[in-house]
Amino acid sequence: MNSTWFRRFTTAAGDGPRLVCFPHAGGSATAFKDLARALPADFDVVCVQYPGRQDRYNEAPFTDLTALVEAVAGELARELAADRGRPYALFGHSMGALVAFETARLLARGELPGPQRLFLSGRGGPDTGGIPYHLYDDDDVLADVRRLGGTEQAMLEDPDILDLVLPALRADYRALGTYSWRGGEPLAAAVTVLTGDSDPMMTVQDAQTWRAHTTGDFAVEVFPGGHFYLFDQLERVAAAVTEGLLTEAAAS
């Protein structure tokens, strides 16, 4: 796959279903490294690398979510066209859930088969939220990141690392703050929503807001933990993804 936009963290690409993973605000493809290695070896797990971070640090990050979705969907469509027969699903966490959802909507308008299932984690539906993240200054952004927790907290205390991660964080928060749900037809793909039971960003009830956005099968999986529950509940998350993806692949 395109080595600019997509990363693999397994030694080989499996010949089974493909899972495309979309990271959270400020996050990179490596956020899904452990999940990729916990999933069955025959899965082909690829992780999206947004511009403006890690080896793409010198590229300007997107500040508009629609433009980011168009870029990702365009690259992904080329890869899917080269392997039309392989079933695939999308997994997005937090901001990544919104990017994955809008990417699926854009792909559904084309000629390629859409994803069989979406795994949407750590965020309510596109018509919820409305927080003016684009008005946040650096202190506001960092306070919000600290509130949500996660494995990257120590990095925020290192001034040199902070200088590296702040541009992407600013851009992602602006993209989220200026996003506006404009309505549209629900997807045909099945949807599994995943959430932590003590996530300060969303409630279990918020997870149900995704139901209106699919005509397919719908499920909610609740795990112990906060916004970044998936790092602590790796095996359980991997089991839920495996079951959901294999169920849809078997039905196709």
Side-chain angles (χ1 to χ4, degrees):
M1 299 190 79
N2 184 316
S3 60
T4 299
W5 280 91
F6 304 106
R7 303 285 181 276
R8 282 193 180 96
F9 298 107
T10 52
T11 55
D15 56 5
R18 175 174 288 156
L19 182 70
V20 184
C21 301
F22 296 74
H24 55 281
S28 62
T30 52
F32 292 103
K33 178 177 67 176
D34 291 339
L35 179 61
R37 293 172 177 172
L39 289 167
D42 64 335
F43 281 15
D44 181 26
V45 184
V46 294
C47 309
V48 179
Q49 184 78 304
Y50 306 139
R53 58 217 77 201
Q54 292 187 334
D55 57 337
R56 301 190 71 183
Y57 177 75
N58 290 327
E59 300 178 51
F62 283 87
T63 58
D64 179 82
L65 194 131
T66 299
L68 173 59
V69 167
E70 290 173 349
V72 173
E75 296 295 334
L76 184 55
R78 278 189 278 275
E79 302 295 343
L80 296 174
D83 197 2
R84 285 176 177 264
R86 186 195 297 260
Y88 74 98
L90 309 182
F91 185 117
H93 179 65
S94 198
M95 181 186 85
L98 193 56
V99 179
F101 170 72
E102 289 290 2
T103 296
R105 293 182 69 219
L106 193 54
L107 291 172
R109 299 173 199 162
E111 298 179 356
L112 295 169
Q116 294 193 330
R117 184 176 288 268
L118 272 66
F119 298 93
L120 305 173
S121 169
R123 183 191 163 86
D127 45 352
T128 64
I131 299 173
Y133 289 120
H134 57 298
L135 300 179
Y136 281 22
D137 61 20
D138 287 354
D139 289 340
D140 294 328
V141 170
L142 292 174
D144 195 56
V145 171
R146 291 187 175 100
R147 177 178 70 93
L148 295 177
T151 60
E152 300 169 348
Q153 295 296 299
M155 297 170 57
L156 303 180
E157 309 307 322
D158 185 319
D160 292 331
I161 296 178
L162 193 57
D163 284 344
L164 293 175
V165 301
L166 258 176
L169 273 170
R170 288 190 203 107
D172 291 351
Y173 270 66
R174 179 168 181 76
L176 285 169
T178 54
Y179 171 81
S180 178
W181 169 244
R182 303 185 186 279
E185 293 297 317
L187 293 169
V191 169
T192 297
V193 183
L194 305 93
T195 183
D197 61 6
S198 57
D199 188 340
M201 186 174 170
M202 69 177 291
T203 66
V204 176
Q205 289 72 29
D206 291 332
Q208 295 289 341
T209 60
W210 286 106
R211 183 183 293 274
H213 299 285
T214 178
T215 59
D217 180 56
F218 180 82
V220 174
E221 299 278 354
V222 182
F223 302 87
H227 189 60
F228 288 100
Y229 71 90
L230 66 171
F231 298 132
D232 298 321
Q233 303 294 329
L234 183 64
E235 296 302 324
R236 291 182 60 184
V237 171
V241 171
T242 300
E243 180 181 4
L245 188 47
L246 289 181
T247 297
E248 294 306 314
S252 63

